[in-house]
Amino acid sequence: MSAADADELLAIARTVIRQVPGGRIDDPTMLAACRQAAMLMPASLRGTLREFRRESGERGAALISNLPVDEPSLPSTPGTSTSVQRFGTVPALLLMMIAAELGEPVAFRPEKSGALVQDVVPVQGKEDFQGNAGSVLLSFHNENAFHPYRPDFVMLLCLRADRDRVAGLRTACVREVLPLLSRESRAALSSPDFVTAAPPSFGTGGSTAPHAVLSGAPEDPDIRVDFAATKPLGPGAEQALEELRGLCEKVAHTVVMHPGDLAIVDNRVALHGRTAFRPRYDGADRWLQRTFVLQDFRRSRIGRLGDGHVID
């Protein structure tokens, strides 16, 4: 984003805040204002988002830099795993406006109380947790790989970087992996010989019915896997999963995010994770805000929270 475009976005977000004073992100009035405001965003940004929605490319991910996150007004980094953003702030409204160009913002009722904008922060005592509250290496995964209505896109907006500037977002796309996979592993990964457990944040326990890791068009398949939660059901499936894991590491791309960086991951074809980092729990730790997007929310079982879309 150019400085001029960033200033324009900041002005648009602040206008929405004035139009809906004290407005909740999940409120229909606020979401309607964000959809209208999205049409005023710089044409270059809107064009980039629409092209990415149509075709997410070989990497299945995009990085937009220099978004205005209103750093001087940021409070201390939250320190709890349940932290969310309920009210209209500049970063949260940017996420909602950008989501409107990609589809519809959604949340999952059992996770972080169904908030549309969620904080991704390290939590003291959960360093080894394989999830957004941890700070050890976070293994590659599709977001909510266990769920039948997984997000189409995952958006991660950096508000504050870690002090050491070592926490890197990692992505790996099946489009780069596929040519490297053996024929045997392609066949095994396309068979329903895997189960995936729900993450602890959902509190549901249990696992999915057997499913394939690769599905759809053989030449451009979707991928469904969480290397911390997906288990093979036989030796052939186990070998294929290990080959896939190794190839994801081989093609991985890593970016250390800075304030104002927005990563968008096509959750249908790309996995994401994070390198390890060391939190200090001093109010200045790494802070991302996250929003999920569905292109077609009618295909899921939707409950309502205002006009926000919350998946049961």
Side-chain angles (χ1 to χ4, degrees):
M1 298 290 296
S2 68
D5 284 348
D7 289 343
E8 185 177 349
L9 278 176
L10 180 61
I12 293 169
R14 286 176 172 170
T15 297
V16 174
I17 292 172
R18 290 194 297 270
Q19 289 175 343
V20 192
R24 290 173 62 91
I25 289 294
D26 310 278
D27 185 87
T29 303
M30 177 64 83
L31 288 173
C34 288
R35 283 193 292 268
Q36 290 296 316
M39 295 188 288
L40 304 177
M41 294 192 302
S44 59
L45 175 59
R46 296 180 68 200
T48 296
L49 294 170
R50 290 181 178 182
E51 181 61 25
F52 184 79
R53 173 178 175 166
R54 188 190 69 81
E55 174 51 64
S56 58
E58 287 298 308
R59 293 191 181 183
L63 183 70
I64 300 171
S65 296
N66 200 36
L67 290 171
V69 293
D70 208 10
E71 288 183 70
S73 69
L74 291 180
S76 297
T77 299
T80 65
S81 58
T82 57
S83 179
V84 299
Q85 180 61 51
R86 290 290 188 185
F87 294 95
T89 62
V90 168
L93 295 184
L94 287 178
L95 283 170
M96 291 299 98
M97 289 189 289
I98 290 171
E101 289 294 327
L102 295 171
E104 289 287 343
V106 296
F108 294 78
R109 195 179 304 279
E111 184 178 43
K112 290 185 179 275
S113 63
L116 292 179
V117 178
Q118 305 170 1
D119 292 318
V120 176
V121 296
V123 176
Q124 195 163 16
K126 293 196 172 186
E127 289 80 3
D128 295 331
F129 181 64
Q130 278 294 304
N132 66 83
S135 49
V136 296
L137 177 71
L138 180 60
S139 60
F140 279 122
H141 62 283
N142 293 112
E143 196 68 40
N144 296 339
F146 80 101
H147 205 285
Y149 304 117
R150 300 172 294 284
D152 292 322
F153 301 108
V154 178
M155 300 198 303
L156 294 165
L157 176 60
C158 181
L159 276 61
R160 183 173 285 138
D162 65 297
R163 284 185 183 271
D164 299 322
R165 300 296 195 272
V166 297
L169 174 69
R170 306 177 75 219
T171 60
C173 185
V174 67
R175 291 169 176 158
E176 293 185 302
V177 167
L178 196 65
L180 307 177
L181 268 175
S182 66
R183 181 179 302 177
E184 294 78 11
S185 288
R186 285 198 200 190
L189 293 168
S190 301
S191 300
D193 292 329
F194 306 85
V195 294
T196 300
S201 59
F202 277 74
T204 55
S207 297
T208 63
H211 65 85
V213 168
L214 302 181
S215 62
E219 71 279 5
D220 187 21
D222 288 353
I223 186 169
R224 179 186 185 185
V225 70
D226 181 336
F227 286 118
T230 299
K231 305 301 180 187
L233 298 179
E238 181 177 8
Q239 182 177 349
L241 194 64
E242 283 306 307
E243 182 179 341
L244 177 66
R245 188 198 308 266
L247 289 174
C248 285
E249 292 293 333
K250 182 175 182 178
V251 305
H253 301 278
T254 303
V255 59
V256 175
M257 296 179 67
H258 301 281
D261 284 351
L262 171 66
I264 307 175
V265 180
D266 184 340
N267 198 47
R268 299 161 298 189
V269 299
L271 312 178
H272 66 282
R274 186 206 59 246
T275 61
F277 67 105
R278 187 183 65 169
R280 305 190 186 190
Y281 308 115
D282 58 358
D285 275 324
R286 184 177 189 256
W287 183 5
L288 308 184
Q289 286 189 331
R290 178 178 69 181
T291 291
F292 303 140
V293 179
L294 278 180
Q295 283 192 306
D296 180 11
F297 64 85
R298 289 177 62 86
R299 63 185 170 88
S300 63
R301 294 182 298 112
I302 297 294
R304 290 265 176 186
L305 177 59
D307 196 33
H309 305 294
V310 183
I311 301 176
D312 292 322

